[in-house]
Amino acid sequence: MGIWSLGLGALGAAIAGIFLANTDLCLTKAAQASLEYLEDADLRSTGDDEKTMKAKTLWEKTGAVVMAEASELSSLKTQLEELGVPLVAVVKENIGTEIEDFRPHFAGDIYVDVKHHFYGPLQRKMGGLGFIRQGVWQNFMRAWKAGYQGNMLGEGFVLGGVFVIGAGNQGILLEHREKEFGNKVENEDVLEAVKRIVPMQ
């Protein structure tokens, strides 16, 4: 009877662990980023002329949609261009051919966030919890079918997000933080926020 009790207890604990891992109870809550915090980010371009600039220059006159580790918003590129708002990606590192492998999946400029501002102010990591979350596996399969494989190097456990930032001091109009790998923002929410941007004259 003792071995059966121990076995049932272990099974119960495993089931409870899997259940909890698939809820939001175990996830680190995102800290909201301020406009000042994001403006101060040092971004390094990834083209032929690697130069570093302050992030503020991306949205100062026109506003911008800034993606930290997402690629699905490329489908909005044409609509964003019609509205005069750039779509840019910010990545936390460039290891090996990571950015070149990412380019076919993203239709905009790509920058390296030198101090990881777009992943903070409280940097969140998924950790081993991601391997038992159903949503992570669904998102992984979706990305894999689309041809995006990523890599197994560097800080792969850090969660990203999407920001719609208005021109000048209009502020952050939309902030979506991944709650798990591949948790994407709704395109309609992005467009709705972009339409509220008032460009500087």
Side-chain angles (χ1 to χ4, degrees):
M1 188 71 173
I3 292 177
W4 281 105
S5 298
L6 189 60
L8 286 173
L11 180 63
I15 291 170
I18 291 171
F19 173 77
L20 283 173
N22 282 281
T23 67
D24 293 346
L25 296 174
C26 298
L27 299 178
T28 306
K29 301 294 180 218
Q32 293 242 276
S34 68
L35 181 62
E36 294 77 20
Y37 180 78
L38 295 179
E39 284 176 339
D40 195 44
D42 291 321
L43 300 181
R44 189 174 65 240
S45 62
T46 58
D48 295 331
D49 61 336
E50 287 193 4
K51 59 182 182 183
T52 302
M53 62 185 191
K54 289 295 182 187
K56 180 179 184 174
T57 59
L58 294 177
W59 60 78
E60 200 164 25
K61 294 187 183 328
T62 61
V65 176
V66 182
M67 304 170 15
E69 302 291 335
S71 62
E72 279 85 4
L73 291 182
S74 287
S75 63
L76 297 179
K77 178 86 167 152
T78 304
Q79 291 166 282
L80 294 174
E81 284 176 346
E82 288 171 2
L83 294 166
V85 175
L87 172 67
V88 297
V90 171
V91 296
K92 60 192 165 305
E93 59 200 358
N94 183 14
I95 297 176
T97 61
E98 182 175 22
I99 289 178
E100 292 311 311
D101 295 343
F102 181 59
R103 281 193 198 283
H105 304 280
F106 181 71
D109 292 329
I110 303 171
Y111 298 89
V112 176
D113 182 357
V114 178
K115 296 178 183 171
H116 300 181
H117 276 233
F118 284 88
Y119 298 86
L122 174 63
Q123 197 172 87
R124 298 166 310 118
K125 297 185 178 188
M126 185 95 247
L129 188 63
F131 294 109
I132 55 176
R133 286 183 66 91
Q134 179 182 358
V136 171
W137 285 101
Q138 289 170 334
N139 294 333
F140 170 76
M141 292 306 293
R142 185 185 74 238
W144 183 71
K145 286 178 182 174
Y148 185 68
Q149 297 175 4
N151 65 44
M152 300 303 284
L153 305 171
E155 283 289 336
F157 291 106
V158 178
L159 296 170
V162 174
F163 300 86
V164 175
I165 304 172
N169 292 320
Q170 196 176 0
I172 300 168
L173 305 175
L174 173 86
E175 180 176 349
H176 168 81
R177 299 294 188 136
E178 283 182 314
K179 68 176 186 177
E180 62 189 14
F181 302 129
N183 170 237
K184 60 183 186 173
V185 66
E186 295 294 330
N187 287 1
E188 297 78 21
D189 293 343
V190 172
L191 284 175
E192 186 180 311
V194 165
K195 288 173 182 172
R196 293 175 15 224
I197 293 175
V198 179
M200 299 287 279
Q201 298 301 323

